[in-house]
Amino acid sequence: MNSHSQLPVLGDLVAGTVGAVAAIHVSSEGLVLGTSPGVGRDEADTWAALISGLGAMSSRSVGIVGDLTSGERPWGHSVIEDRAGRTMTLVGAADHSMLAVVGAEGADLGEIAARLIVLADHGLAPAVAA
């Protein structure tokens, strides 16, 4: 099986963000588009399936809230945290792909979310597809 692509921008995000452990970019179809260094193929495929489902659920939830509040606000990010304080932060891109970062206990969630949103807003997905 071919290895997935490592994206330097995701490696930089992990290396430059307090508590960030790994990052992944997943297509709207649930395919791995790239990862930070150190993420194995099987692990990336498992994460991609999870992230794809969570992304669909999160974006639909925002639609329901928008319908109920009559406000249109784009989905910004979702954070899942376990009891030990480890996290997964998800951000949707304009092309419906997903970016996610796994954080260790004590990770700077504000910085992680902000950096993911910047990547999503600046078109990481089209740059990868080119």
Side-chain angles (χ1 to χ4, degrees), residues 2-7 10-11 14 20-26 32-48 51 88 100-102:
N2 291 338
S3 180
H4 58 276
S5 298
Q6 291 185 0
L7 298 176
L10 294 181
V14 169
V21 174
I24 188 168
H25 184 204
V26 177
V32 177
L33 297 174
T35 67
S36 61
V39 178
R41 181 73 215 188
D42 289 342
E43 184 178 27
D45 287 341
T46 300
W47 288 1
I51 290 164
M88 178 178 282
V101 168
V102 174

Side-chain angles (χ1 to χ4, degrees), residues 61-105:
S61 297
V62 169
I64 292 167
V65 171
D67 289 345
L68 294 174
T69 62
S70 299
E72 265 192 55
R73 296 191 182 251
W75 175 45
H77 66 278
S78 295
V79 177
I80 300 166
E81 182 176 6
D82 72 7
R83 291 182 180 175
R86 297 169 297 211
T87 59
M88 178 178 282
T89 304
L90 307 164
V91 170
D95 68 350
H96 303 285
S97 66
M98 300 288 301
L99 294 164
V101 168
V102 174
E105 181 181 358

Side-chain angles (χ1 to χ4, degrees), residues 102-120:
V102 174
E105 181 181 358
D108 186 337
L109 296 179
E111 182 180 358
I112 289 172
R115 291 186 71 178
L116 284 175
I117 290 168
V118 167
L119 285 177

